[in-house]
Amino acid sequence: MPREREIALGVRTTAAAGAAVALLVPFGGLAALVAGRADELHGLDARVTDRLHDLALGHPDWVDPMVWWSLIFHPNTWRIAAVVLAVWLFRRRETALAWWVAASVAAGGVLGGVLKLLFGRHRPDLLEPVARAAGYSFPSGHALTNALGAAVLLLVLLPRVRGRGKRAALCVAAAGIPVVTAYTRVALGVHWTSDVLAGLLLGVAVPAITVAVFQGRRVPERSTG
């Protein structure tokens, strides 16, 4: 006989809300500096970009691996993974959890696109670019979606993984992939450091917010067991 149970991610509503606030505060600070065109932030961004760009020019064999990494972990890759995960959860009758996955990824995509238009920040303009990207710069869509997708997959899969080694590997991958992706975007000269940092912060904040909303509503779902 199917039984009713709530969406279960192993995260309390208060903890999720607290994490969201803790992440949104530094994001808001960065956003304010970007909107105000703060000289200090621009100077720091420019120094980091110049240094990493010089490394890329001096080591051209690094460029292709970074480009491929950016392509492999493109935002659409994470969106496809989220669709597959949501379908899998629907088939398991974990309906609320499936809707949470879909809602979190959709919210992140819409929010990132809207913020890019609102801030209208231009990408670095380098004399000898090693890569190019279209659209506005803040926040980084790659960093945001990588952090968001990794957080969603981690929250869903971690309670299902058995074995300390496997759980540790999953956590390392969930933290490492977004960070490496963020680094490649700056090193390729298509984003400022503050773009990717803001993307990482917002990417983790979005699922924290949606967890709080879904848990707070206490949505029941059907589950066999």
Side-chain angles (χ1 to χ4, degrees), residues 154 157-172:
L154 181 66
L157 298 179
L158 191 61
R160 305 166 191 270
V161 173
R162 296 293 177 264
R164 185 174 299 177
K166 292 180 180 179
R167 291 169 66 89
L170 183 61
C171 291
V172 169

Side-chain angles (χ1 to χ4, degrees), residues 125-142:
D125 186 13
L126 303 171
L127 291 176
E128 300 178 74
V130 297
R132 295 186 183 277
Y136 291 122
S137 185
F138 183 90
S140 164
H142 270 76

Side-chain angles (χ1 to χ4, degrees), residues 77-225:
T77 302
W78 291 99
R79 290 165 188 150
I80 293 171
V83 170
V84 172
L85 179 62
V87 170
W88 179 70
L89 290 169
F90 272 121
R91 290 176 63 86
R92 290 174 55 86
R93 298 185 181 181
E94 298 183 55
T95 309
L97 197 54
W99 279 117
W100 172 78
V101 170
S104 298
V105 174
V110 172
L111 184 58
V114 170
L115 289 174
K116 280 180 180 286
L117 293 175
L118 286 176
F119 284 93
R121 190 187 200 189
H122 294 290
R123 297 176 185 271
D125 186 13
L126 303 171
L127 291 176
E128 300 178 74
V130 297
R132 295 186 183 277
Y136 291 122
S137 185
F138 183 90
S140 164
H142 270 76
L144 191 161
T145 312
N146 271 251
L148 171 57
V152 167
L153 264 66
L154 181 66
L155 287 172
V156 173
L157 298 179
L158 191 61
R160 305 166 191 270
V161 173
R162 296 293 177 264
R164 185 174 299 177
K166 292 180 180 179
R167 291 169 66 89
L170 183 61
C171 291
V172 169
I177 291 174
V179 171
V180 173
T181 302
Y183 173 84
T184 64
R185 303 305 286 168
V186 180
L188 289 172
V190 295
H191 272 295
W192 304 107
T193 303
S194 52
D195 296 336
V196 299
L197 181 56
L200 293 174
L201 290 169
L202 193 59
V204 181
V206 168
I209 294 169
T210 56
V211 165
V213 171
F214 271 69
Q215 296 280 67
R217 291 184 62 186
R218 299 184 180 277
V219 183
E221 63 178 22
R222 305 286 293 184
S223 176
T224 57

Side-chain angles (χ1 to χ4, degrees), residues 16-33:
V21 171
L23 292 162
L24 289 175
V25 168
F27 170 80
L30 275 175
L33 292 173

